[in-house]
Amino acid sequence: MVFILGIPFPEAQLVKRTLTSFYGIGPLVSSRIMARLSIHPTAKVGSLANKQVLDLTAELSGMTIENELRRQLRDNIARLRDMGSYRGRRHAMGLPVRGQRTKTQTATANKLNRVERKG
């Protein structure tokens, strides 16, 4: 097991997959991080040197990820609601925010738009 930011990862897992398991890091960002740290795209977590793991941890600790990012999104939605903007009211009512059709297909939009908005 290799620990990155205090989370254990199996040694056989790809580094790219490991990075995308963090909330806020997608495939593109993980590829850029790996390129910046000179890690091969098909490298496994177990094959990383100790220095590379430390560099990776330092890189991730400087980014806004996981709970901090979730809190930031929640605060942004709360700010829109408190301000009373159109988007904030749509969030509060659980309706589509970005101009999607509402005459017939609101069920999908409601399902996809579930961010803690009632509170």
Side-chain angles (χ1 to χ4, degrees):
M1 289 286 193
V2 176
F3 287 84
I4 300 175
L5 286 181
I7 300 172
F9 291 102
E11 296 187 7
Q13 193 172 17
L14 291 173
V15 177
K16 185 170 184 157
R17 176 122 167 90
T18 301
L19 290 175
T20 56
S21 69
F22 289 103
Y23 181 81
I25 297 181
L28 184 65
V29 174
S30 68
S31 297
R32 286 184 180 163
I33 291 171
M34 289 172 60
R36 194 177 308 130
L37 298 176
S38 302
I39 300 173
H40 195 270
T42 58
K44 298 196 186 275
V45 175
S47 68
L48 292 178
N50 217 5
K51 183 185 182 307
Q52 286 178 316
V53 173
L54 292 175
D55 289 343
L56 196 58
T57 305
E59 183 77 26
L60 291 176
S61 63
M63 298 176 67
T64 305
I65 55 173
E66 290 292 331
N67 291 334
E68 188 179 340
L69 183 59
R70 287 188 178 102
R71 188 178 311 110
Q72 188 177 10
L73 288 173
R74 193 172 46 243
D75 291 344
N76 286 342
I77 291 173
R79 179 181 50 82
L80 289 171
R81 288 176 56 207
D82 294 341
M83 203 175 6
S85 68
Y86 179 79
R87 282 175 51 204
R89 283 182 285 152
R90 300 295 281 189
H91 273 293
M93 291 187 286
L95 293 171
V97 176
R98 298 184 177 178
Q100 295 94 332
R101 177 184 184 88
T102 58
K103 183 175 181 179
T104 57
Q105 299 171 345
T106 57
T108 306
N110 286 338
K111 182 174 64 178
L112 294 176
N113 200 18
R114 281 194 193 129
V115 178
E116 190 174 328
R117 56 181 87 77
K118 294 178 176 73

